[in-house]
Amino acid sequence: MDHTEFRVKAKEMVDYIADYLENIRDRRVYPGVQPGYLHKLLPTEAPEKPEKWDDIFKDVDQHIMPGLVHWQSPHMHAYFPALTSYPSIMGDMLSSALNVLCFTWASSPAGTELETIAMNWLGKLLGLPECFLNEKNDSPGGGVIQTTASEATLVSLLAARTRALMELSKLNPELQAAELLGHLICYCSDQAHSSVEKAGLIGLVRMRYIESDEGQSMRGAKLEEAIAADKEKGLVPFWVCATLGTTGSVAFDNLREIGQVCQKHGAWLHVDAAYAGSAFVCPEYRHWLDGVELADSFAFNPSKWLMVNFDCTAMWVKDSTALHRTFNVNPIYLRHENSGKAIDYMVGSQNEDIKKLTLKKINIMNDIDHPKADDNKVDNKFNKNNGVITQIENRNITKVDAVEVSTDVDGNIGKDDDLYDAVGDTKNLHGYNKISHGCGKIIQLEDPNKKELLHWQIPLSRRFRALKLWFVLRNYGVVGIQKHIREGVRLAQKFAALVLADPRFEIPQPSNLGMVAFRLKGDNAFTERLLKRLNARGYIHAVPACFKGIYVIRFTITSQRTTNQDILDDWNEIKIVASEILTDVFGSENGNIAVVKKPRISLKETRELNATFGTSLLLANSPMSPKIVNGTHAAICDYEQVLTSCAQTFAQLKMEPKDSPGANTETIEAKIC
Ligand code: PLP
């Protein structure tokens, strides 16, 4: 494809996209294909010769589109939203075309700086405390865009693990990191997302699940109890993940209580607000953020509800050095003239305080006295007296300011090992004191270099994601984004009202924000059948969840295009299918529920009887949080039912020659004549 063809075809693509999104309501949201369908349609080998664009795109229309779940459809109610928007699409179009990789400032100055700016905007929009922002020269906090909430959780766990290991190894210099690792333990609620468990598995640390309360919220007292018991066993609590907006029922852990426990025990607190985080753009939902200043890291997905298309996870940390010492490996090919100056450049001034030193003469600027082996507060070994490993109260570690080195003609610097030896006791631990700049005369070590975003994440390369986030924030403005969130919540409340008005249904526990978990009263099998039949019909799509043995259908408002009428239509679809099922089982569309016709009460009477009439009592803050959200094919599709309904449909068909898509008009006319 050359420039000329690209101009034509890309414009056609834009029209295709606009048509798709404009008319998405007309599409069947869940595809009617079976596993393996595409393998039967596409060749097994890549083409030997170049193919024409029109031929390629024809296959998109014929083979790919019929096999998609239409996530942008107003009738998509599965999972959580994965919204996009025109400004976001434009951001990704441009980012794809530019294809800059923003890992160091030098790799794309505007890319890294825009990310910091956009993350500061977003942090303020959510009402995050200043300690998470990066607006000042010396601010250790800041935001970074990760790919997913899962990755943000893992990054946070790894950073906390490094911090804990560094501290423990100072106390127990004779023990290897692997031995220390075996003593670490972290915590999350029994309602936490599976990605938290996965982070623990990858991090090779023990994870304890704290039983949530009746509102599916993790509370401080239970956490404290578990931590105290674990410390008794000689374990070291180092990381806690609190969830704001659980996957099952959008329940909220009690941040303040949990934060206080974490502070007491020196554990890192990570907040996973993957879905619900978007809601904090509206001040009325920020009560769930109470205590966030006690957290060490916070992440949510603008790629879910904020209309910034996947991938985009906003993550903030209070102290970015914790990330650098975890992820900074810093080979020479990534060093550049402005290493360490990027952050100063961003705020428009140079850091005057950077000291020039020689390789061997290292200025330890912040060597905080750690409790020593003989300090009565801290036991230097795994404590034999009471079986508890005591943690260091003061978490600062040795920082090295700056080092001047002589370089050879290629800019290569002296041996890293010398430097490690010189800086002392962190040599076994990962990266904290490595040289970060070797091309010029001055190299700066770790701390001033914190804006190099490659040290904030696992991969080296990173997309220019800030562009789409920035476009969305500017094009919608705060007012537009707040309106979008409030509308999603309003529609969910409308749906909940419809469910509650039908005596055959129940909402076992109120849900929050834009999600309602509902079910048919009675046996789980009825609701399961209802969901599978709904998905097989393809008009709406939802997934199940199960909490303490109660099977529910999660109904999430996922689209900014959803209207009142869509909700009414979807509810109508649910009622029709429910009536079919109940009639099959009980011979009556009401099932075994005695439906009492309610007497009509006038509005005037209602107002007289209920002083608070008019305020929404439907979605009180006591969510129900199913543990499992099952989106697998088996959980949402009923093959038997699909086959039966196909057979019924075919049996009813009275085929005429003109019904055949293969028959053209002329042939039919010829036959009729
Ligand atoms: N955390 C919570 C609470 C979630 O609900 C989800 C997904 O819905 C995740 C984490 C995982 O998100 P991601 O797909 O961005 O890793």
Side-chain angles (χ1 to χ4, degrees):
M1 189 178 284
D2 59 14
H3 293 306
T4 314
E5 190 185 1
F6 176 72
R7 282 178 196 282
V8 175
K9 297 301 169 192
K11 281 169 192 153
E12 282 175 19
M13 179 68 96
V14 168
D15 280 340
Y16 185 89
I17 292 169
D19 286 345
Y20 170 76
L21 290 173
E22 197 176 351
N23 303 314
I24 196 153
R25 187 173 277 97
D26 303 336
R27 287 182 187 261
R28 179 193 156 110
V29 60
Y30 195 74
V33 295
Q34 297 304 322
Y37 89 99
L38 197 56
H39 290 271
K40 295 186 190 134
L41 296 170
L42 298 185
T44 51
E45 310 286 333
E48 194 65 33
K49 302 239 171 72
E51 291 194 67
K52 288 205 175 75
W53 176 255
D54 286 346
D55 292 338
I56 301 169
F57 204 70
K58 201 164 69 202
D59 282 353
V60 171
D61 235 6
Q62 285 182 356
H63 302 323
I64 305 295
M65 296 308 274
L68 294 180
V69 173
H70 296 289
W71 280 70
Q72 306 310 309
S73 165
H75 304 299
M76 169 73 177
H77 301 295
Y79 315 104
F80 279 136
L83 286 181
T84 187
S85 59
Y86 287 123
S88 176
I89 293 171
M90 303 244 264
D92 242 12
M93 277 165 72
L94 186 54
S95 160
S96 295
L98 302 171
N99 209 26
V100 293
L101 302 184
C102 316
F103 40 80
T104 58
W105 181 86
S107 72
S108 202
T112 49
E113 292 195 25
L114 186 65
E115 186 156 332
T116 307
I117 293 164
M119 288 299 290
N120 282 336
W121 284 14
L122 189 60
K124 286 186 203 166
L125 189 54
L126 260 60
L128 290 184
E130 213 181 295
C131 54
F132 287 108
L133 307 180
N134 198 300
E135 290 193 303
K136 299 199 184 103
N137 224 1
D138 55 352
S139 164
V144 61
I145 303 178
Q146 305 282 6
T147 54
T148 58
S150 308
E151 196 169 317
T153 301
L154 177 61
V155 163
S156 149
L157 181 139
L158 294 178
R161 191 187 73 171
T162 304
R163 184 175 84 168
L165 287 177
M166 290 180 90
E167 291 174 359
L168 282 176
S169 99
K170 274 183 178 276
L171 292 168
N172 307 276
E174 74 287 0
L175 293 179
Q176 294 294 313
E179 290 171 272
L180 297 170
L181 194 63
H183 291 263
L184 296 184
I185 183 159
C186 55
Y187 304 81
C188 66
S189 140
D190 57 6
Q191 300 302 309
H193 189 262
S194 56
S195 52
V196 182
E197 182 180 355
K198 199 189 274 185
L201 287 175
I202 299 170
L204 295 173
V205 287
R206 293 166 210 232
M207 177 92 57
R208 187 168 311 293
Y209 300 93
I210 307 297
E211 191 188 349
S212 51
D213 70 7
E214 66 288 349
Q216 282 67 64
S217 170
M218 178 164 69
R219 305 297 300 270
K222 283 262 186 207
L223 178 66
E224 171 65 41
E225 212 177 281
I227 288 182
D230 286 336
K231 285 178 96 170
E232 281 294 313
K233 291 180 208 144
L235 298 174
V236 179
F238 79 101
W239 185 79
V240 176
C241 179
T243 310
L244 295 185
T246 57
T247 319
S249 70
V250 192
F252 291 81
D253 290 344
N254 190 312
L255 263 198
R256 180 157 298 287
E257 288 177 7
I258 294 167
Q260 282 163 355
V261 175
C262 288
Q263 295 239 308
K264 179 175 162 197
H265 297 284
W268 178 297
L269 173 58
H270 176 67
V271 179
D272 174 10
Y275 162 70
S278 298
F280 302 137
V281 300
C282 301
E284 65 268 32
Y285 303 122
R286 287 193 200 144
H287 55 95
W288 282 310
L289 270 181
D290 179 46
V292 71
E293 71 281 2
L294 303 174
D296 294 278
S297 51
F298 178 96
F300 89 102
N301 286 6
S303 62
K304 283 189 165 28
W305 201 3
L306 222 59
M307 299 178 290
V308 181
N309 59 271
F310 188 82
D311 52 352
C312 183
T313 292
M315 179 188 193
W316 290 269
V317 286
K318 242 186 207 164
D319 180 7
S320 57
T321 49
L323 301 186
H324 313 154
R325 63 191 177 218
T326 307
F327 299 115
N328 181 1
V329 285
N330 226 348
I332 193 151
Y333 52 84
L334 293 174
R335 299 169 197 159
H336 59 86
E337 289 295 336
N338 290 301
S339 278
K341 293 181 187 164
I343 189 166
D344 307 321
Y345 176 83
M346 277 188 287
V347 293
S349 71
Q350 294 291 316
N351 185 349
E352 301 295 325
D353 296 336
I354 295 171
K355 297 179 183 73
K356 296 177 185 178
L357 301 163
T358 60
L359 182 61
K360 290 291 177 190
K361 192 176 161 224
I362 290 169
N363 179 21
I364 309 286
M365 41 180 260
N366 194 11
D367 192 8
I368 302 297
D369 265 355
H370 292 298
K372 299 289 184 309
D374 55 358
D375 188 319
N376 57 14
K377 278 196 289 183
V378 175
D379 188 346
N380 196 31
K381 303 248 166 29
F382 291 117
N383 196 316
K384 302 286 183 299
N385 299 327
N386 57 13
V388 177
I389 303 172
T390 316
Q391 291 223 269
I392 302 170
E393 299 327 320
N394 195 330
R395 292 199 169 274
N396 289 329
I397 67 162
T398 304
K399 285 183 184 171
V400 179
D401 188 12
V403 179
E404 186 170 336
V405 288
S406 49
T407 56
D408 62 22
V409 282
D410 299 324
N412 294 322
I413 54 169
K415 279 180 11 193
D416 281 12
D417 287 351
D418 292 347
L419 186 69
Y420 288 175
D421 289 340
V423 297
D425 58 3
T426 58
K427 60 177 182 279
N428 288 332
L429 291 158
H430 208 60
Y432 183 62
N433 283 323
K434 284 188 180 176
I435 297 171
S436 56
H437 175 36
C439 302
K441 290 284 182 246
I442 305 298
I443 62 167
Q444 291 167 356
L445 296 181
E446 190 48 40
D447 194 36
N449 198 22
K450 60 179 173 288
K451 288 319 294 176
E452 302 293 36
L453 293 172
L454 80 162
H455 303 323
W456 294 57
Q457 59 170 24
I458 297 167
L460 166 66
S461 303
R462 48 201 334 279
R463 301 176 61 230
F464 192 3
R465 300 188 201 95
L467 206 51
K468 60 187 174 185
L469 174 60
W470 189 55
F471 283 2
V472 168
L473 293 177
R474 291 188 64 178
N475 201 235
Y476 281 88
V478 176
V479 172
I481 293 172
Q482 288 176 336
K483 189 169 163 230
H484 159 68
I485 296 293
R486 288 181 180 131
E487 179 62 2
V489 177
R490 187 190 70 76
L491 288 167
Q493 289 178 350
K494 183 180 176 66
F495 180 78
L498 293 168
V499 174
L500 291 174
D502 189 322
R504 301 172 300 171
F505 289 89
E506 63 182 352
I507 296 176
Q509 294 197 28
S511 309
N512 289 306
L513 298 175
M515 207 270 278
V516 180
F518 73 103
R519 68 192 298 276
L520 272 169
K521 285 178 187 160
D523 204 294
N524 278 343
F526 305 149
T527 309
E528 196 173 344
R529 236 169 116 180
L530 169 65
L531 178 66
K532 287 183 172 177
R533 202 172 286 189
L534 284 168
N535 283 326
R537 286 161 66 104
Y539 180 70
I540 71 169
H541 181 39
V543 290
C546 191
F547 176 68
K548 292 188 177 158
I550 300 176
Y551 184 98
V552 289
I553 299 174
R554 286 170 84 264
F555 185 96
T556 319
I557 307 296
T558 62
S559 164
Q560 69 268 50
R561 294 176 187 82
T562 310
T563 61
N564 279 333
Q565 192 56 48
D566 289 321
I567 295 296
L568 291 173
D569 290 349
D570 291 350
W571 176 238
N572 207 32
E573 165 79 354
I574 293 166
K575 279 198 309 184
I576 289 170
V577 178
S579 295
E580 274 175 22
I581 289 168
L582 293 174
T583 307
D584 284 354
V585 180
F586 297 102
S588 152
E589 65 174 22
N590 291 325
N592 58 356
I593 310 267
V595 180
V596 185
K597 251 200 161 339
K598 288 185 193 148
R600 283 191 73 80
I601 303 172
S602 72
L603 200 60
K604 185 163 168 278
E605 262 180 288
T606 311
R607 288 224 172 87
E608 281 164 10
L609 287 169
N610 183 356
T612 58
F613 179 77
T615 47
S616 171
L617 303 173
L618 296 171
L619 287 177
N621 177 24
S622 53
M624 129 128 193
S625 181
K627 177 68 183 149
I628 300 157
V629 174
N630 200 337
T632 61
H633 204 239
I636 56 186
C637 294
D638 185 342
Y639 284 125
E640 208 182 313
Q641 196 273 324
V642 175
L643 289 176
T644 316
S645 84
C646 279
Q648 281 167 357
T649 311
F650 286 130
Q652 283 164 9
L653 284 178
K654 293 198 180 76
M655 297 296 284
E656 302 265 330
K658 67 178 164 47
D659 295 326
S660 164
N664 65 38
T665 333
E666 280 168 25
T667 333
I668 293 167
E669 277 167 6
K671 277 188 185 162
I672 291 168
C673 292

